[in-house]
Amino acid sequence: MKFTHDIIEVNEDFDEIVELISEACFSENIVLHILEDHQFSLVSSIGVSDHLNSGLSSLLPQVVDKGEFQSVINVDGNQYQYLGIPIRNKNQKIVGIISLLGQNKLSLNSNQKKTIRVFSKSILFVIEKELLHKNKRVCLNQMLEINNGFYIKVGFDYRINDIGPNFKTSMPSLQIGDRITDTISFEQNFNIKEKFDHGDSNNQIYFFTDNEDKQRYKFSFLIFESDMIISASPVINAKYTLRNYNLVLNDFSKHDYIAEYMFLQQTSAKSLNEARVISDNLVKKNIELSKAQKEIGELSKFPSENPNPILRFSNRFKLVYSNPASESCFLKDFKIKDNEIFDEKLKTKIGDIIKTKSTESIFESRNGRHYSLTIAYVDEFEYVNIYGSDITTFITKVNQNEEMLIRIKDEMQEQKEFYEFILNNLPADIAVFDTKHNYVFINPKGIANKKIRDFMIGKNDFDYAKLKNIPDDRAKQRRKLFNSVLKKKTFVTWQDEFIDKRGKREVVQRSIGPLFDEKGMVKYLIGYGADITKRVEAEEENIKLSLVAKNTNNGVLMLDTEMVITWANQAMIDRSGYTLEEMLGKNPREFIISETNSDVLKKLKEAIKLKQNIEVEMLHQDKSGANYYVALNLQPLFNSDNIHNGFMMVEFDITDRKENENTIQDLNVNLERLVQEKTAKNIELSNSLRDQEKMVTIGELAAGVAHDLNTPLGAIKSGISNIKYTLENIFKENIRYCSFEEIQFALNYAENNTFGLYMGGMQSRKESLAFENYLNDNYSDLIDEDVTETAMMFVKNRIGSEENDIVKYILKSKSTKHLLQILYDFQIIFSFVNTVESSGDKASLVVQDLRSFIREKRNTKKGKVNLHDNIKTVLNIFNHNIKNNIELDFNVNKSLNVMGYDVRLFQLWSNLIKNAIECMVEMTEVKKMSVYSIASSKTISIIVENNGPIIPSSQIDKIFEKFYTTKAHRSGSGLGLSIVKNVIELHKAQVSVDSSKERTRFKITFKKEK
Amino acid sequence: MKELRYAVICVDDDPMILQVLAFQLDKILDNKSILVEFYTNPNEALSDIDTLIDEEIDVIFVLVDYQMPEMTGAELIRKIKSKHKDLNCLMLSGQANSTQISELEKDKLLEKFIEKPWDEDELRDAISKLIATKTLS
């Protein structure tokens, strides 16, 4: 047992009752404890010190054990008499103890005992009232929770006090402390001020709308303890799926609350009856009490010390004696002055008593005070004695108690209405049966028609069948179930699914179970059902939609547990060529799956059997009989109770990829590969993918490289044909006119002089004219007609007048013209030889760059890679696309190295650079690309930036996905950025993309090696 | 010296190409009466064409590369044609943007497109035809 000595719950009713007891029992020291859950709580005390109080701890449990109990205790050296009187409830359970303490022996006469019993009842009422209030609150909360947790409590200032858990999820903008009207808008006829003022909850349904989400809720309300409680439920629309409700089917099995409600309702009704009886008793007891007062008066021996008025009149109505107590009010109230009585009524009464020589007790009220008067004729002295007692406080208290009882009664009525209101408005049908399967209660959701509803009370399902003139199969079925529940005494829950008259599907979750009385016997059975069609449908639809939405481009099949198709999406219909109707009800193995590889089929079968997720690649067949490869994902589906209810099949057409793979395989018939194939299938898979990636990169590079090779090869080709032509020229004619020495001279000259590759016509004319003048001035012996021709030949040979000796030597020759021609031819040959040589170098550089992409050995070995050189190689490959076309700003620090795979990094840069170039192809403004580095103490970042068109933010997340391409019909394989992603993962680097109108930027960040 | 009446213009940013062209044109053309000019810079070529035409020299054709600094061959041709709409334009390129070329052809701005590496005879055929029409008229 526990003790609480401090008064915690201050209820003034207790204080007043204790005061009254003190008065009635002439006791100055009284303590009242109440006992709840084995805990004593001190609720009121008069004239008892804390110390003395704690001394009671040992006595109270004895009262609980023995009932009324008397004892003696020592506290602080003083001896006290103790009397403990238990307060029992209707079940004779002790709920409180009145303790009387005194210095003298405590003995109560029968009237005092009766008085205490009456007050015990009053105390019991106060306790039960408190208890009811507490229960009411608990019950309210539980009822609100049953109603899906969609409730709001609003204070009289319209601010929100409390929010149901489901609103917290579905309407997070609803905040405690906010004004309700800020977050939601009430519809139509609902004026919150008016409803608060009148406090009527008239059981109507209203609507409000969530300001933010525009979700509509229907609700009813109730004013409870000056709060408005709004109990709502969302009006279902497509937007609100189950997820928003945050509900699961289990929510509906909170039958305990309903059971508790039923129990409470019973007890409330019982308490009401009890209250009535007690209230009647109280009135009776009042009369008894007045008798007791009479006795007290008569017994009073010491009028002057008596706190009640005592008077004596002579038989001629003269006041003979009045005690001090009568002086305060009594004399004045009954107009007794100068020993004369002027109160006519009392005077007449005294007269009657004198006449009859009798004794009578009466109640009289004067000036708001109530008196109990015992008028007795004392024969021997011919006096009339009046024993008065001011019972004002007592009467007031009794009146108050009566009021209180009426109040409790009202509250109980209110409470009953409150629960009925909730039950009648619950979105569930509820029926309560007695143990004979007769209806005790049905809510409107159960039977809508009020007449039939009222009729059914006290009747059963067989009567209902008769009334409706329908077969009683259902009644029989229910009786069977009812009997089994009655026997097992547990709740049974099941789902009814049927098609209603209008062909609409309806799913109802039903439960039936027992309600127990206090003794644990089944008193009633409660059955309830909720229409969960929308929820079940929403749930089913939700599962479908959420999964399907993700995979709209892929074929999706929904299958039941037997692998029978129940639904297919558009992509599936498009790809397979079958209509939805043709697919429904069939097993895909009968017509879609055309795979013959038994391993694959076995794997699939196994996964279905074990209800496991599986991904396989297999062959399918469309309606026309054509085969196509798919990557198939089969996923088992489970409902909220974790019961397997089917499969989903998502397939992705990989025919193209598969064919590529086959081609690659056909080409690679080397031994190594064969060995690889046999040894590890996993390695093969990843390799084939890597090869595929490499093929893509190389393929895309090839186009560019072709040009880079084309130019030098073209130059080599034409250079060689020009050399051949010139040589023919030399040997055919000119060589015959020149001496060996002259040829030697020409060769020597051609070898040692760089020959301008070409010369503009205008310039050569100018130079020729000048040279002609020079010749005329210095070599006047030359034949006229030859001068122009000769001058032109000199200019063609790039021999200027400053080269005197050369000019003189040539002019001295027997055939100057032939020598100049042969000199020119030699120079042409040397010049083309140079061109061919440098073109060859150029071509080999291109091949070198390209080779570094392909060399397998370097691919597999991790090593130090210089980022500048690595990126430069890539830029060289793309040189033909960049030069003259794009303003390139290449600024990568030459000292930056990372540990990695150089060829893989080539792939990284080439994909980024290629993308940058391609995205700018159609731009008309100046194209810019920057490749630069930023290094910090821990990281190295390479930024590849271009000023091409923006990548929409909706696509940024997708660009790294395999086969994602924006260049659907152009060059894109869709592999580019997925390769980038792979390489980045391989190097444990990170990539970030940001794209604006001005520029698109890829930033690759490597960790610095320690 | 013969009176100059005709000119031929070659524009390519690669001097080695111009060298080959110089050699081949030397064989094809009578360079005594036809001025052959080479430019690596398209802007220079553009201003010289204006000068030549001002001096009443008949420019028989302009042979341009596609990929060049400052402007593409397509742009150069459009510029030339906007001023001298009768001037014949030929293109010699290994990496031209096909949409640009087909647009030029659609607008009837391009006489002939020759792919690099080119065949000398193909070049000769194209040029001879033009020379013949010009010099015989």
Side-chain angles (χ1 to χ4, degrees), chain A residues 264-295:
Chain A
L264 227 115
Q265 206 193 26
Q266 280 167 249
T267 17
S268 304
K270 241 185 164 183
S271 306
L272 257 179
N273 281 330
E274 202 106 352
R276 246 174 255 134
V277 173
I278 292 165
S279 132
D280 290 342
N281 281 347
L282 254 183
V283 177
K284 274 186 212 156
K285 295 282 155 69
N286 279 341
I287 296 161
E288 279 178 29
L289 193 70
S290 66
K291 278 184 192 160
Q293 284 300 128
K294 194 174 100 187
E295 283 173 35

Side-chain angles (χ1 to χ4, degrees), chain A residues 774 779 800-809:
Chain A
Y774 166 78
Y779 301 91
S801 51
E802 68 282 351
E803 291 175 275
N804 283 327
D805 297 347
I806 306 286
V807 176
K808 199 185 274 174
Y809 179 83

Side-chain angles (χ1 to χ4, degrees), chain A residues 438-502:
Chain A
N438 290 324
Y439 284 93
V440 177
F441 171 85
I442 312 168
N443 78 343
K445 187 85 201 201
I447 297 180
N449 186 319
K450 188 170 186 311
K451 271 188 191 162
I452 300 178
R453 197 161 68 234
D454 292 343
F455 166 82
M456 282 308 295
I457 301 301
K459 306 209 172 45
N460 59 34
D461 283 340
F462 292 95
D463 298 322
Y464 184 76
K466 228 177 271 170
L467 177 76
K468 286 274 182 175
N469 200 16
I470 50 170
D472 57 3
D473 305 355
R474 208 186 179 93
K476 277 179 189 159
Q477 201 183 335
R478 289 199 173 164
R479 173 63 57 86
K480 210 173 144 192
L481 187 72
F482 182 91
N483 287 337
S484 84
V485 169
L486 203 59
K487 208 170 144 194
K488 287 184 198 151
K489 293 184 183 174
T490 54
F491 267 85
V492 175
T493 299
W494 73 99
Q495 272 187 21
D496 276 351
E497 181 166 344
F498 48 87
I499 307 292
D500 77 3
K501 284 175 218 154
R502 282 162 296 167

Side-chain angles (χ1 to χ4, degrees), chain A residues 707 725 761-762 765 831 835, chain B residues 16 19 32 36-37 95:
Chain A
H707 176 267
Y725 173 87
M762 202 60 99
R765 268 164 200 272
S831 157
T835 304
Chain B
M16 283 201 284
Q19 180 199 18
K32 291 194 184 73
V36 186
E37 293 290 357
Q95 53 175 132

Side-chain angles (χ1 to χ4, degrees), chain A residues 146-159:
Chain A
I146 288 181
N147 199 12
N148 298 344
F150 282 110
Y151 64 85
I152 311 169
K153 288 188 189 171
V154 185
F156 63 90
D157 54 356
Y158 312 145
R159 290 191 188 279

Side-chain angles (χ1 to χ4, degrees), chain A residues 617-818:
Chain A
E617 291 184 359
M618 59 158 62
L619 210 55
H620 274 194
Q621 195 171 49
D622 66 18
K623 200 180 176 183
S624 73
N627 280 332
Y628 61 101
Y629 269 108
V630 293
L632 185 141
N633 180 319
L634 184 83
Q635 198 158 4
L637 301 176
F638 299 91
N639 70 7
S640 60
D641 294 332
N642 222 15
I643 292 165
H644 175 243
N645 61 5
F647 293 94
M648 184 181 67
M649 213 163 103
V650 181
E651 55 170 64
F652 173 48
D653 191 337
I654 52 159
T655 312
D656 292 347
R657 200 182 92 203
K658 209 71 187 174
E659 277 170 4
N660 278 343
E661 275 177 14
N662 289 342
T663 318
I664 293 167
Q665 275 172 0
D666 289 348
L667 291 173
N668 285 307
V669 272
N670 58 56
L671 189 64
E672 195 185 294
R673 188 153 184 84
L674 282 172
V675 170
Q676 253 184 2
E677 267 176 17
K678 278 180 184 171
T679 49
K681 281 226 160 187
N682 281 341
I683 295 168
E684 182 213 348
L685 264 174
S686 79
N687 274 356
S688 86
L689 196 64
R690 206 184 56 208
D691 284 353
Q692 191 186 343
E693 288 176 357
K694 208 161 73 186
M695 289 289 283
V696 169
T697 319
I698 293 169
E700 280 162 352
L701 288 175
V705 169
H707 176 267
D708 267 17
L709 284 177
N710 232 355
T711 311
L713 289 178
I716 291 168
K717 189 185 157 206
S718 61
I720 287 173
S721 90
N722 292 339
I723 290 167
K724 196 178 150 207
Y725 173 87
T726 313
L727 281 172
E728 277 171 5
N729 241 359
I730 294 169
F731 291 113
K732 222 192 280 168
E733 202 178 344
N734 299 328
I735 204 161
R736 282 184 278 148
Y737 301 97
C738 300
S739 67
F740 180 72
E741 193 196 329
E742 279 169 348
I743 292 169
Q744 199 75 39
F745 157 81
L747 259 178
N748 201 26
Y749 183 85
E751 222 177 340
N752 293 317
N753 286 280
T754 40
F755 185 82
L757 293 178
Y758 57 90
M759 184 182 261
M762 202 60 99
Q763 196 191 348
S764 91
R765 268 164 200 272
K766 249 191 259 163
E767 284 183 20
S768 300
L769 264 174
F771 205 86
E772 201 178 331
N773 290 338
Y774 166 78
L775 287 182
N776 284 334
D777 293 350
N778 296 289
Y779 301 91
S780 48
D781 54 329
L782 287 175
I783 307 153
D784 238 16
E785 57 213 77
D786 285 352
V787 178
T788 313
E789 180 95 31
T790 311
M792 259 177 79
M793 285 302 286
F794 272 106
V795 171
K796 246 178 140 179
N797 274 302
R798 319 285 198 272
I799 299 171
S801 51
E802 68 282 351
E803 291 175 275
N804 283 327
D805 297 347
I806 306 286
V807 176
K808 199 185 274 174
Y809 179 83
I810 292 170
L811 288 174
K812 242 174 43 192
S813 164
K814 277 184 212 153
S815 60
T816 300
K817 215 170 104 186
H818 292 293

Side-chain angles (χ1 to χ4, degrees), chain A residues 90-151:
Chain A
K90 54 191 177 287
N91 300 327
Q92 295 305 308
K93 198 184 153 209
I94 292 171
V95 294
I97 292 172
I98 303 167
S99 301
L100 281 79
L101 291 149
Q103 305 272 352
N104 304 317
K105 186 158 172 64
L106 294 162
S107 64
L108 298 177
N109 62 33
S110 62
N111 286 313
Q112 283 169 322
K113 283 182 182 167
K114 278 179 195 163
T115 312
I116 286 184
R117 271 209 298 283
V118 171
F119 284 122
S120 295
K121 287 287 181 193
S122 295
I123 291 167
L124 189 62
F125 268 103
V126 179
I127 292 172
E128 289 197 338
K129 189 190 150 202
E130 296 256 290
L131 212 68
L132 266 175
H133 218 68
K134 215 159 94 190
N135 282 339
K136 194 171 167 182
R137 209 181 293 264
V138 170
C139 203
L140 169 75
N141 287 336
Q142 287 172 348
M143 292 319 283
L144 287 174
E145 239 176 85
I146 288 181
N147 199 12
N148 298 344
F150 282 110
Y151 64 85

Side-chain angles (χ1 to χ4, degrees), chain A residues 602-618:
Chain A
K602 213 171 129 192
K603 256 177 46 196
L604 185 68
K605 218 170 162 183
E606 192 75 5
I608 292 168
K609 203 175 130 199
L610 298 172
K611 301 178 184 78
Q612 281 172 346
N613 194 347
I614 185 175
E615 279 186 46
V616 284
E617 291 184 359
M618 59 158 62

